[in-house]
């Protein structure tokens, strides 16, 4: 089908089904295809993790939990940052952070 989890109406109504899906799920479609974002946070490939510098306590808990070493910073001196090219989007950093500094965007 054109959208996972949404059944096709019928082979004869194929064009109608696509138009109807686009009408009903336009915002969702545009977010995924144009903005490359998943509003519901379900599509792992479209997620990115980020650290809010103002909330970061520079404690290194997130970096210690990262299995790929994608998080860098200097304990007690500078906020930590996530290298998106190394991040596997497992969420371990978000779970480890006690200060809500790690966010999924």
């Amino acid at each position: 089908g054109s959208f996972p989890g949404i059944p096709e109406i019928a082979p004869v109504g194929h064009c109608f089904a696509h138009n109807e899906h686009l009408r009903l799920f336009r915002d969702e479609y545009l977010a995924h295809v144009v903005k490359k974002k998943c509003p519901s946070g379900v599509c792992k490939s479209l997620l990115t993790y980020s650290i809010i510098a103002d909330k970061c306590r520079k404690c290194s808990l997130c970096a210690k939990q990262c299995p790929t070493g994608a998080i860098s910073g200097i304990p007690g001196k500078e906020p930590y940052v996530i290298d998106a090219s190394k991040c596997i989007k497992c969420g371990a950093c978000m779970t480890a952070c006690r200060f809500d500094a790690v966010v999924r965007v």
Side-chain angles (χ1 to χ4, degrees):
S2 54
F3 291 94
I6 302 172
E8 292 294 338
I9 293 172
V12 175
H14 189 72
C15 288
F16 171 77
H18 284 285
N19 288 338
E20 188 64 8
H21 289 159
L22 285 174
R23 185 182 71 73
L24 293 173
F25 300 99
R26 180 173 170 45
D27 293 340
E28 188 85 7
Y29 173 81
L30 291 174
H32 282 76
V33 177
V34 177
K35 296 178 182 175
K36 305 287 187 227
K37 299 282 181 193
C38 178
S40 60
V42 180
C43 302
K44 193 173 178 179
S45 64
L46 298 177
L47 293 178
T48 55
Y49 287 85
S50 183
I51 298 173
I52 301 169
D54 290 343
K55 286 189 173 187
C56 180
R57 298 281 181 92
K58 307 165 190 82
C59 68
S60 79
L61 287 175
C62 58
K64 289 176 184 173
Q65 293 303 310
C66 181
T68 62
I71 303 174
S72 61
I74 299 173
K77 295 192 179 200
E78 68 178 43
Y80 281 72
V81 293
I82 300 173
D83 180 343
S85 68
K86 293 180 183 177
C87 179
I88 60 170
K89 304 170 186 180
C90 67
C93 55
M94 191 173 195
T95 302
C97 182
R98 299 179 190 152
F99 310 105
D100 296 322
V102 180
V103 294
R104 195 173 24 218
V105 290

